[in-house]
């Protein structure tokens, strides 16, 4: 029986790997979302045997096609969680040969070490969960950042940056949904803010960074339609995902107290729920202030 290889350290065997269509689907998913767990990659690429799929991921890792970011091993229960992957040099070379310079990245995450790895991973998991859920629904289309970016003049150096007055907002993610019903198509666009409890909800000095300060900035953006002027999108809802139910309730209370509008939506998702794709981000209601909750997967 062969010795079990390390999850953390690459141990090449020099074996020849003939890439399959499923391997390419894995690489393309990681091009769209920089970090994804094995559970998400299985949802993208499919396969009857989860065990065989994980073994294949292991082979692709050890032979240099995929990386397992080292930051994930810093957490005490990391070995009990599905491994996180990103593209390795050999996968990038394979995609370059197949697709050329094509890019369809859904996030604003850049190459190099992520300063807040778990925050970056959660951004990828939230967006990927919503996109995967739309694939199972007829009459619903996910609109990724590349499609939105195409509406913005190429001369804009930082198109993800929404500048207004004397400040600017860069959302954690941006996407749209297209709803087709009775031959008619309507659209909603969403800025995503992922909260892991590291930023204060409020501060005495409004000029300092806080959750409520950022949400008030979004309020100004939507009231004056900066999203339309700079991104070319007709509307903008803000999805605030937090990993603590009590914190989400407090956000809703503060938003109501400060008069923030119903275009700001809140949902609590425990981090363990995100270890696999979470269709509830699309299919279950989001809380709002002063009006009924909203299911973003439905057009009405």
């Amino acid at each position: 029986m062969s010795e079990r290889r390390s999850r953390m350290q690459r141990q090449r065997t020099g074996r020849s790997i003939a890439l399959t269509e499923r391997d390419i689907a894995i690489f393309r998913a990681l091009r769209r979302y920089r970090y994804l767990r094995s559970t998400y990659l299985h949802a993208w690429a499919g396969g009857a045997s989860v065990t065989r799929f994980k073994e294949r991921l292991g082979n692709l890792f050890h032979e240099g096609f995929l990386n397992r970011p080292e930051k994930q091993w810093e957490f005490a229960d990391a070995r009990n969680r599905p491994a996180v992957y990103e593209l390795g040099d050999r996968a990038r070379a394979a995609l370059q040969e197949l697709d050329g310079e094509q890019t369809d990245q859904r996030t604003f995450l850049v190459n190099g070490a992520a300063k807040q790895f778990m925050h970056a991973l959660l951004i990828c998991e939230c967006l990927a969960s919503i996109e995967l859920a739309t694939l199972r629904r007829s009459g619903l289309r996910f609109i990724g950042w590349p499609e939105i970016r195409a509406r913005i003049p190429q001369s804009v150096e930082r198109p993800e940056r929404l500048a207004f007055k004397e400040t600017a907002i860069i959302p954690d993610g941006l996407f749209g949904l297209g709803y087709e019903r009775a031959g008619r198509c309507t659209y909603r666009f969403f800025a995503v803010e992922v909260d892991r409890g590291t930023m204060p909800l409020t501060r005495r000095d409004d000029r300092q960074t806080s959750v409520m300060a950022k949400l008030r900035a979004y309020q100004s953006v939507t009231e004056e339609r900066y999203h339309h002027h700079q991104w070319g999108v007709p509307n903008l809802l803000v999805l605030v995902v937090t990993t603590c139910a009590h914190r989400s309730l407090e956000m809703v209370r503060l938003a109501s107290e400060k008069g923030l509008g119903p275009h700001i939506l809140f949902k609590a998702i425990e981090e363990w729920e995100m270890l696999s794709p979470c269709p509830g981000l699309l299919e279950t209601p989001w809380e709002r202030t002063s009006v009924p909750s909203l299911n973003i997967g439905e057009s009405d």
Side-chain angles (χ1 to χ4, degrees):
M1 184 172 62
S2 62
E3 183 179 350
R4 186 172 182 178
R5 293 177 294 183
S6 169
R7 293 186 80 192
M8 294 176 280
Q9 301 295 326
R10 183 171 282 131
Q11 297 172 279
R12 290 189 175 179
T13 65
R15 72 173 65 181
S16 176
I17 290 186
L19 295 178
T20 66
E21 290 185 8
R22 185 172 296 151
D23 296 333
I24 299 303
I26 290 168
F27 300 165
R28 286 175 173 152
L30 287 169
R31 183 173 61 190
R32 287 194 290 273
Y33 297 101
R34 180 177 175 182
Y35 301 120
L36 287 176
R37 296 186 186 275
S38 60
T39 44
Y40 287 77
L41 294 174
H42 186 256
W44 282 112
S49 171
V50 174
T51 300
R52 294 289 178 268
F53 186 82
K54 290 180 180 178
E55 289 174 355
R56 184 62 174 182
L57 289 177
N59 291 335
L60 293 170
F61 164 66
H62 287 291
E63 299 307 322
F65 287 93
L66 300 179
N67 294 333
R68 289 171 177 164
E70 294 183 2
K71 281 284 186 181
Q72 67 184 297
W73 310 123
E74 296 178 0
F75 301 90
D77 60 345
R79 297 191 183 193
N80 298 321
R81 296 185 174 210
V84 180
Y85 290 86
E86 64 179 332
L87 287 177
D89 290 341
R90 296 187 71 183
R92 292 184 190 281
L95 289 178
Q96 173 69 24
E97 184 175 345
L98 285 169
D99 301 337
E101 294 297 330
Q102 179 180 344
T103 178
D104 55 359
Q105 191 174 20
R106 306 301 201 244
T107 72
F108 308 140
L109 301 175
V110 297
N111 293 330
K115 293 181 179 179
Q116 296 179 313
F117 171 72
M118 292 302 293
H119 182 258
L121 173 61
L122 193 54
I123 293 169
C124 294
E125 290 172 339
C126 288
L127 290 170
S129 289
I130 293 171
E131 183 170 7
L132 283 165
T134 64
L135 297 177
R136 304 202 306 261
R137 300 273 295 274
S138 62
L140 188 62
R141 185 172 73 88
F142 185 90
I143 302 169
W145 167 241
E147 192 171 340
I148 298 171
R149 174 67 178 92
R151 301 168 64 94
I152 304 171
Q154 291 295 317
S155 59
V156 177
E157 292 185 4
R158 298 189 63 189
E160 75 281 3
R161 183 176 183 268
L162 190 63
F164 66 101
K165 295 183 179 178
E166 297 179 353
T167 187
I169 297 175
I170 301 177
D172 288 333
L174 187 68
F175 73 97
L177 292 174
Y179 310 84
E180 186 174 348
R181 187 174 180 180
R184 177 173 173 265
C185 198
T186 57
Y187 299 90
R188 289 194 189 110
F189 291 86
F190 305 88
V192 178
E193 291 295 334
V194 170
D195 171 77
R196 297 185 64 249
T198 57
M199 182 185 291
L201 292 180
T202 60
R203 289 183 186 265
R204 290 183 179 178
D205 186 345
D206 287 342
R207 294 170 296 180
Q208 293 180 305
T209 302
S210 71
V211 172
M212 286 300 122
K214 192 165 192 179
L215 296 185
R216 285 198 299 272
Y218 274 116
Q219 179 92 346
S220 297
V221 163
T222 54
E223 286 177 349
E224 301 189 35
R225 295 185 57 77
Y226 282 93
H227 57 277
H228 178 68
H229 302 321
Q230 295 191 44
W231 287 335
V233 299
N235 53 61
L236 186 69
L237 302 179
V238 182
L239 304 180
V240 184
V241 184
T242 185
T243 55
C244 173
H246 175 74
R247 188 171 168 89
S248 182
L249 290 173
E250 183 64 5
M251 286 182 182
V252 174
R253 185 189 70 78
L254 287 169
S256 178
E257 181 181 284
K258 296 179 182 300
L260 300 185
H263 57 284
I264 301 177
L265 294 77
F266 301 88
K267 184 181 286 291
I269 298 287
E270 298 288 343
E271 288 199 45
W272 63 264
E273 296 181 76
M274 300 301 297
L275 296 180
S276 297
C278 183
L281 289 170
L282 178 77
E283 298 169 354
T284 62
W286 292 70
E287 295 302 317
R288 300 190 287 177
T289 61
S290 69
V291 295
S293 57
L294 177 68
N295 185 329
I296 66 171
E298 303 296 336
S299 58
D300 315 312

